[in-house]
């Protein structure tokens, strides 16, 4: 599903967004006047120390949370003041999610989980979409697992199911918040390679939070956050460069 | 969207509210009933040496035992639900070295406290209600103003029984603690351990034997009933045995029933998900519904038997039609039986609420992925409707069977050694339909409100 906007316009955008948690003296600024555009068809990595605001940034861009100040757009849609139902429909139709854990509905098998966004929308996938989902399931190695339920799958397999679900509707943008945080490094890399492939080969726009420099090195763009601000925004970089920058950030802190 | 900072936690007072309420209802019922028999003794038994009280109290005890039986089943299942909800923290405690038996004992101790608190509340309520009713009776001139006892010593009986049965029920219900593996603290999938399949097989075999043997005895009782009213005795034990088999085998029978009922609801996404929820966890849906099955079966059995008995009386002794004392007796007995169904309904509402509240994370995930609030509400309502209808439907069918068998075994020989069709008390069926709809709706209120007031993010962060 594509918005009519030209290809150079960002797929998601924040304009001087601030987000405060708590009230009164306990207020924590999780985001501090952040402006950012996620480009169409790119794989964007978001990095930064724990508590720097990465998840908050992603939640606001995805319509899961609303900014205290500033505005957020998804394509041409200003989502800042959308009501609950509009936001829900937007998430359902235009956004895909991969969370760190608990991605799957325990009562549904693999097929049910992958088809969940269609089911929520009350429609069956078109033949074209079915073929795409078949391709995804095959390339993610889930073909012979379709009847299994989440507790019968390994952590890596569960994350792959979540990826298949997130890509299945060909959403405008896929958000992945530390999708490999619960996996060992090899399994984690495999899962990330799949996301990178989706971006490169199918032009899927993806924004992913990660702590892993090697994972971030496969991204087209790397954004660094610290204390709720963007402190660096660079094009594809080597894992060494990314590690070096992270270390320098830690020293500065 | 709402962004409450409050984490969805179920304090043990919320968890135990239902257990306390059920224990209190049981104790109120027992105390009130025995107080009433005491008052009646003061009224009629002038110097009869207490035989009247013994007779009245014995009848009252039958109904109290029935109510407490239902209450115990409901409480055991509530504790099963509570333990399932705590699986993760139990697993964590096991991981750091707590023994399963210690943990189980501590859950059972909670049960003892629940029973004690509930029984005490019920004792006070029962005394208050009985004296209020007495005052009103005297004031309106319905009852003569004689010297009534203040507190009948017999009420210690139901109070003690409530404490004991609740304790016992919590012990039985907490058996699930033993099935929690320390590994569950680490797993990302929230799924109760599959459990010991061998034990399940033994259980299934027992259930089948009980149902088969019990049904055989019922049939024998009906045949005997054609020649002698004593057939009722054989039929009675057949009924007890086969129904125990049904309760024991509920985890196989109820999911099948739920699947059947689920088909009636269509195929929209909230409904499909609700059906999956109801059917995929046989333990969970069985815990939620079995109490109601028992309650409805009891009420229906009684009503069908009474209707058959009445119609038999009317056909044999036309004079008895419209005899007010018969009508009153049936109404009183019906009300006493009905109390068990009320306890079952309360248990069902709480059990369903608890089990939906425990799925906060799952609901958060669905909301994040695009389930609207109305869809979530519809899903919860569909789930609760499906469970209530399945439970009530099964209860009515069983009740019609048992009620008919009982009436046939008792009256078959008197009615000229013929088989008669079961008489279905339609007013009761209508009442059950309305009650079931109300119950489904009531049971869905609290979870719906919770599920739609917590933001998807907060829900996803819940443990
Ligand atoms: N619901 C909330 N209530 C209060 N404070 C919050 C809430 N959510 C986030 N915060 C605070 O906002 C800041 C940013 O949090 P956020 O979760 O975005 O960090 P993060 O970069 O994702 O960290 P991590 O790498 O540990 O996941 C932190 O200081 C956090 O404590
Ligand atoms: Mg985070």
């Amino acid at each position: 599903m594509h918005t009519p906007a030209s290809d150079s316009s960002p797929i998601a955008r924040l304009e001087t967004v601030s987000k405060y948690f708590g009230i009164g003296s306990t207020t924590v600024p999780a985001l501090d006047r952040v402006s950012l555009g996620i480009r169409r068809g790119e794989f964007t990595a978001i990095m930064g120390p724990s508590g720097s605001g990465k998840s908050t940034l992603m939640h606001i861009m995805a319509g899961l949370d609303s900014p205290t100040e500033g505005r957020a757009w998804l394509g041409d849609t200003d989502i800042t003041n959308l009501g609950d139902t509009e936001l829900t429909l937007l998430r359902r139709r235009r956004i895909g999610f991969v969370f760190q854990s608990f991605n799957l509905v325990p009562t549904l098998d693999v097929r049910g989980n992958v088809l969940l966004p269609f089911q929520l929308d009350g429609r069956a996938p078109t033949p074209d979409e079915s073929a795409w989902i078949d391709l995804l399931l095959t390339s993610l190695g889930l073909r012979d697992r379709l009847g299994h339920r989440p507790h019968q799958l390994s952590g890596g397999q569960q994350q792959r199911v979540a990826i298949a679900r997130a890509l299945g509707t060909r959403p405008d943008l896929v958000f992945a918040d530390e999708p490999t945080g619960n996996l060992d490094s090899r399994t984690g890399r495999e899962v990330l390679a799949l996301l990178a492939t989706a971006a490169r080969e199918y032009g899927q726009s993806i924004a992913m939070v990660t702590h892993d420099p090697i994972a971030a090195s496969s991204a087209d763009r790397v954004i660094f956050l610290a204390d709720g601000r963007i402190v660096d925004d660079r094009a594809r970089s080597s894992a060494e460069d990314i590690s070096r920058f992270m270390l320098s950030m830690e020293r500065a802190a | 969207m709402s962004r409450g900072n409050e984490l969805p936690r179920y304090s043990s007072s919320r968890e135990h509210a239902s257990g306390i309420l059920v224990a209190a209802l049981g104790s109120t019922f027992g105390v009130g009933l025995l107080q009433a028999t005491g008052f009646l003794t003061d009224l009629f038994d002038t110097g009869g040496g207490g035989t009247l009280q013994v007779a009245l109290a014995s009848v009252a005890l039958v109904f109290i035992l029935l109510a407490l039986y239902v209450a115990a089943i409901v409480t055991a299942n509530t504790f099963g639900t509570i333990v399932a909800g705590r699986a993760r923290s139990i697993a964590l405690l096991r991981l750091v070295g707590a023994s399963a038996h210690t943990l189980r004992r501590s859950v059972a101790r909670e049960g003892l406290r629940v029973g004690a608190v509930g029984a005490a509340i019920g004792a006070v309520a029962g005394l208050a209600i009985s004296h209020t009713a007495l005052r009103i009776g005297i004031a309106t001139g319905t009852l003569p103003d004689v010297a009534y006892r203040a507190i009948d010593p017999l009420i210690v009986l139901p109070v003690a029984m409530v404490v004991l049965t609740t304790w016992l029920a919590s012990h039985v219900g907490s058996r699930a603690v033993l099935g929690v593996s320390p590994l569950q603290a680490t797993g990302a999938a929230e799924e109760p351990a599959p459990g010991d399949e061998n034990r399940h097989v033994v259980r299934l075999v027992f259930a089948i034997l009980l149902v088969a043997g019990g049904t055989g005895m019922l049939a024998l009782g009906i045949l005997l009933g054609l020649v002698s009213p004593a057939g009722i005795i054989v039929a009675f034990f057949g009924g007890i045995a086969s129904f125990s088999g049904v309760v024991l085998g509920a985890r196989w029978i109820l999911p099948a029933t739920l699947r059947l009922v689920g088909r009636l609801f269509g195929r929209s996404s909230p409904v499909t998900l609700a059906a999956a929820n109801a059917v995929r966890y046989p333990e969970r849906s069985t815990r939620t519904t079995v109490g109601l099955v028992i309650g409805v079966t009891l009420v229906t059995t009684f009503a069908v038997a009474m209707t058959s008995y009445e119609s038999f009386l009317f056909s044999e002794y036309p004079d008895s039609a419209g005899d007010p004392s018969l009508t009153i007796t049936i109404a009183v007995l019906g009300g006493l039986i009905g109390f068990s169904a009320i306890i079952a309904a309360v248990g069902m509402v709480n059990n369903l609420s608890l089990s939906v509240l425990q799925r906060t994370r799952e609901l958060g995930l669905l909301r994040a992925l695009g389930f609207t609030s109305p869809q979530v509400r519809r899903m919860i309502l569909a789930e609760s409707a499906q469970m209530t209808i399945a439970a009530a439907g099964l209860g009515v069918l069983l009740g019609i069977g048992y009620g008919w068998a009982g009436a046939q075994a008792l009256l078959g020989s008197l009615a000229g050694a013929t088989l008669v069709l079961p008489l279905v008390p339609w007013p009761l069926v209508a009442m059950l339909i309305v009650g079931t709809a109300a119950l489904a709706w009531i049971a869905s209120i609290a979870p719906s409100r919770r599920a739609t007031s917590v933001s998807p993010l907060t829900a996803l962060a819940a443990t």
Side-chain angles (χ1 to χ4, degrees):
Chain A
M1 196 180 294
H2 280 283
T3 45
S6 76
D7 261 356
S8 61
S9 72
I11 193 75
R13 189 153 59 89
L14 296 183
E15 195 180 281
T16 53
V17 160
S18 296
K19 177 70 182 178
Y20 301 98
F21 285 111
I23 33 163
S25 59
T26 59
T27 297
V28 191
L31 289 179
D32 189 4
R33 281 161 289 157
V34 170
S35 296
L36 170 70
I38 302 287
R39 290 193 283 266
R40 203 176 290 273
E42 272 193 2
F43 183 13
T44 308
I46 300 170
M47 304 193 76
S50 184
S52 55
K54 306 181 294 294
S55 296
T56 309
L57 180 89
M58 193 162 273
H59 293 155
I60 290 178
M61 285 202 288
L64 274 171
D65 208 342
S66 50
T68 315
E69 287 156 18
R71 314 200 70 80
W73 279 267
L74 186 74
D76 291 335
T77 318
D78 183 345
I79 63 169
T80 321
N81 295 316
L82 282 190
D84 183 53
T85 304
E86 284 102 339
L87 279 176
T88 306
L89 293 180
L90 185 126
R91 288 199 298 271
R92 182 194 296 173
R93 295 186 180 143
R94 294 175 58 187
I95 292 176
F97 286 104
V98 185
F99 297 105
Q100 181 171 354
S101 64
F102 202 78
N103 264 299
L104 307 179
V105 178
T107 38
L108 298 178
D109 59 15
V110 167
R111 186 198 302 277
N113 269 290
V114 171
L115 295 180
L116 187 59
F118 296 97
Q119 202 190 18
L120 295 182
D121 219 16
R123 67 184 182 96
T126 62
D128 182 38
E129 286 167 329
S130 291
W132 166 239
I133 291 169
D134 275 346
L135 179 68
L136 280 174
L137 289 171
T138 307
S139 62
L140 289 165
L142 294 168
R143 276 255 70 111
D144 46 357
R145 298 259 165 201
L146 294 182
H148 289 202
R149 281 168 55 203
H151 71 282
Q152 298 167 312
L153 301 175
S154 72
Q157 288 165 339
Q158 292 181 25
Q159 289 308 79
R160 280 187 264 158
V161 176
I163 290 176
R165 182 192 58 210
L167 298 176
T169 52
R170 283 194 270 233
D172 289 358
L173 183 52
V174 168
F175 287 104
D177 193 347
E178 297 186 57
T180 61
N182 275 343
L183 305 179
D184 69 71
S185 53
R186 202 177 122 242
T187 319
R189 298 251 152 80
E190 278 170 23
V191 166
L192 288 169
L194 293 166
L195 281 175
T197 310
R200 199 172 50 243
E201 290 185 9
Y202 308 113
Q204 175 66 58
S205 318
I206 298 175
M208 176 184 74
V209 170
T210 181
H211 288 288
D212 180 0
I214 298 185
S217 68
S218 58
D220 300 308
R221 179 188 183 192
V222 187
I223 291 165
F224 288 92
L225 281 181
D227 296 328
R229 292 197 199 107
I230 294 180
V231 291
D232 196 22
D233 181 349
R234 54 172 68 195
R236 182 188 293 276
S237 308
S238 70
E240 289 74 23
D241 283 348
I242 296 172
S243 299
R244 211 171 299 126
F245 185 77
M246 283 166 70
L247 281 174
S248 73
M249 271 199 334
E250 266 174 42
R251 275 196 211 97
Chain B
M1 103 177 58
S2 66
R3 287 187 307 276
N5 284 334
E6 158 221 25
L7 273 183
R9 289 227 164 279
Y10 326 110
S11 63
S12 45
S13 67
R14 171 69 188 84
E15 277 181 327
H16 289 319
S18 115
I20 292 178
L21 183 58
V22 166
L25 282 174
S27 158
T28 308
F29 182 62
V31 168
L33 210 51
L34 286 178
Q35 282 285 102
T37 62
F39 294 157
L40 286 176
T41 308
D42 292 335
L43 195 58
F44 297 117
D45 196 23
T46 40
T51 39
L52 177 65
Q53 172 152 37
V54 171
L56 283 176
S58 307
V59 173
L61 268 180
V62 171
F63 291 98
I64 294 172
L65 282 176
L66 266 184
L68 292 190
Y69 168 68
V70 173
I73 299 250
V74 162
T75 305
N77 286 310
T78 305
F79 270 86
T81 305
I82 290 174
V83 168
R86 290 187 194 165
R88 215 166 255 264
S89 15
I90 292 173
L92 207 59
L93 289 170
R94 296 273 286 114
L95 199 64
V96 298
S99 94
H101 288 279
T102 317
L103 290 173
R104 183 181 184 184
R105 262 199 304 280
S106 89
V107 174
R109 263 200 304 279
E110 290 174 41
L112 182 59
R113 275 198 296 275
V114 165
V117 172
I121 295 175
V124 173
L127 284 174
I129 292 172
S130 65
H131 279 283
T132 312
L134 185 64
R135 287 290 133 66
I136 294 175
I138 294 171
T140 55
T142 322
L143 293 172
D145 193 359
V146 300
Y148 293 99
R149 64 197 66 193
I151 295 179
D152 192 301
L154 277 182
I155 67 164
V156 296
L157 219 58
V159 172
M161 284 194 309
V162 165
V163 177
L164 278 178
T165 52
T166 310
W167 189 22
L168 207 71
S170 71
H171 182 74
V172 172
S174 63
R175 192 186 53 214
V177 171
L178 304 181
V180 177
S181 132
L183 270 179
Q184 273 171 268
T186 56
E190 301 211 330
E191 177 86 357
D196 186 353
E197 278 306 314
N198 285 335
R199 211 185 66 216
H200 286 167
V201 171
V202 172
R203 190 168 162 174
L204 182 60
V205 169
F206 259 105
I208 292 174
L209 285 179
L210 278 170
V211 170
T215 312
M217 274 173 81
L218 265 180
L220 187 66
I222 292 172
L223 286 180
L224 279 179
L226 291 176
V227 290
S228 150
I232 186 71
I233 299 172
V234 179
F236 177 77
F237 287 107
I240 300 255
S242 64
F243 192 57
S244 305
V246 169
V247 172
L248 199 65
R251 76 183 294 281
W252 292 278
I253 300 169
L254 279 168
T257 318
L258 282 167
R259 210 165 292 135
L260 214 65
V261 173
R263 300 240 174 86
L264 306 175
F265 282 68
R267 301 222 52 88
S268 74
S269 55
V271 165
T272 317
L273 274 172
N277 281 329
V279 173
R280 294 262 168 83
Y281 288 107
E283 299 285 0
R284 187 164 75 190
S285 42
T286 305
R287 275 197 308 261
T288 312
T289 44
V290 71
L292 192 65
V293 174
I294 295 172
V296 172
T297 304
L298 278 178
V299 174
T300 314
T301 302
F302 173 80
V304 170
M306 275 303 150
T307 315
S308 308
Y309 181 61
E310 241 180 334
S311 93
F312 166 78
L313 274 188
F314 295 166
S315 63
E316 298 292 303
Y317 313 100
D319 294 349
S320 66
D323 179 357
S325 69
L326 181 69
T327 317
I328 291 178
T329 312
I330 288 180
V332 168
L333 293 182
L336 295 181
I337 288 265
F339 204 84
S340 307
I342 289 178
I343 290 184
V346 168
M348 160 111 194
V349 167
N350 281 295
N351 230 321
L352 193 72
S353 307
L354 266 186
S355 72
V356 176
L357 288 173
Q358 284 168 353
R359 301 204 320 259
T360 302
R361 266 189 112 181
E362 187 184 323
L363 295 175
L365 178 66
L366 287 172
R367 297 267 293 115
L369 296 179
F371 225 29
T372 61
S373 305
Q375 279 180 313
V376 171
R377 272 196 293 273
R378 240 176 293 144
M379 179 181 90
I380 294 173
L381 185 61
E383 198 176 328
S384 102
Q386 197 182 344
M387 295 223 195
T388 330
I389 292 172
L394 187 60
V396 166
L397 286 183
L398 287 173
I400 291 177
Y402 286 129
W404 170 76
Q408 185 68 45
L410 181 67
L411 305 171
S413 61
L414 308 177
T418 50
L419 287 175
V420 291
L421 283 177
L423 282 174
V424 180
W426 295 110
L428 174 90
V429 171
M431 225 168 73
L432 280 176
I433 291 174
V434 174
T436 302
L439 197 59
W441 180 69
I442 292 170
S444 75
I445 295 176
S448 292
R449 189 178 305 143
R450 180 52 149 276
T452 52
S453 70
V454 175
S455 86
L457 279 181
T458 318
L460 265 173
T463 47

